[in-house]
Amino acid sequence: MRKIILSNGQTVEVECLSCALTSGVMEPDEQVITETEYFHAHQDVAYPIKGLVILASKRHFTSFDEMTEEEKMDYITVLTKIRKAQRNVLGIEYVYYFYNEDTTHHFHTWMVPRYEWMYQFGRSIESVRPVLLHARNEMNTKEHNEEIREAIQKLRKELTKM
């Protein structure tokens, strides 16, 4: 079991955060954006950044080459739709995508939007960790979390049209 600090300050203990979220064992505070047969997309539960989407597989595996053909097709389709929705309804111009195979939980892709305020931390991959920590430590306010909930609703609505 590992301890994870959520953006709301709550600490949870789970073996695999992605398994807990995609199976419904842990509810991500109305943060589910969309689901398909093979994937589950939700607002990141640890870092309060509007439009920071985690696309996680429902099946437990860690690497691209472990996907079935159906999962591959579903993955690229839902990833593309989410990105289009981020642009259309949240005005997100740029996104950093991250996926790592040495994760402590299973296959997921982080879709980290780039906002103007983030450039104070730099423009490269090295800036991402300070951005995430700044968001968790400095932006975890009631007002900001309400903006995130509104963004989730906008993304959800846009994705139902696609």
Side-chain angles (χ1 to χ4, degrees):
M1 296 292 254
R2 64 185 280 251
K3 290 183 181 181
I4 298 169
I5 301 171
L6 304 179
S7 62
N8 64 11
Q10 177 187 1
T11 300
V12 295
E13 223 174 298
V14 292
E15 271 197 46
C16 175
L17 179 60
S18 294
C19 281
L21 289 166
T22 61
S23 69
V25 168
M26 183 180 144
E27 287 294 323
D29 296 334
E30 300 175 23
Q31 296 176 334
V32 176
I33 294 168
T34 191
E35 276 191 85
T36 67
E37 183 177 354
Y38 302 106
F39 290 91
H40 177 279
H42 56 275
Q43 171 72 35
D44 187 280
V45 296
Y47 304 103
I49 297 173
K50 183 172 58 172
L52 197 171
V53 177
I54 304 296
L55 180 59
S57 61
K58 289 184 175 179
R59 183 172 67 85
H60 192 95
F61 63 91
T62 57
S63 177
F64 273 117
D65 64 344
E66 296 175 75
M67 280 191 212
T68 66
E69 289 303 313
E70 294 82 9
E71 287 168 332
K72 289 177 201 174
M73 294 305 296
D74 192 42
Y75 173 77
I76 197 65
T77 299
V78 73
L79 186 76
T80 304
K81 286 180 179 180
I82 293 167
R83 179 61 188 108
K84 187 173 185 177
Q86 286 174 317
R87 186 183 316 277
N88 290 348
V89 298
L90 301 181
I92 296 170
E93 189 173 348
Y94 300 109
V95 170
Y96 285 9
Y97 297 86
F98 297 96
Y99 135 79
N100 59 308
E101 294 180 353
D102 64 347
T103 181
T104 55
H105 35 279
H106 70 253
F107 183 88
H108 63 284
T109 301
W110 292 35
M111 299 174 73
V112 183
R114 294 298 291 182
Y115 291 106
E116 195 63 38
W117 66 265
M118 295 175 171
Y119 293 117
Q120 68 184 306
F121 300 98
R123 289 188 173 266
S124 68
I125 193 167
E126 290 93 9
S127 70
V128 175
R129 185 71 179 151
V131 161
L132 295 175
L133 292 175
H134 174 81
R136 183 180 349 189
N137 297 329
E138 306 297 328
M139 298 173 68
N140 199 6
T141 64
K142 184 177 179 181
E143 296 80 18
H144 185 70
N145 288 330
E146 183 56 37
E147 287 179 28
I148 290 172
R149 279 189 286 283
E150 289 171 13
I152 292 165
Q153 291 170 3
K154 287 178 182 178
L155 288 171
R156 200 181 293 139
K157 183 177 179 183
E158 182 73 5
L159 287 162
T160 59
K161 291 192 265 180
M162 293 181 180

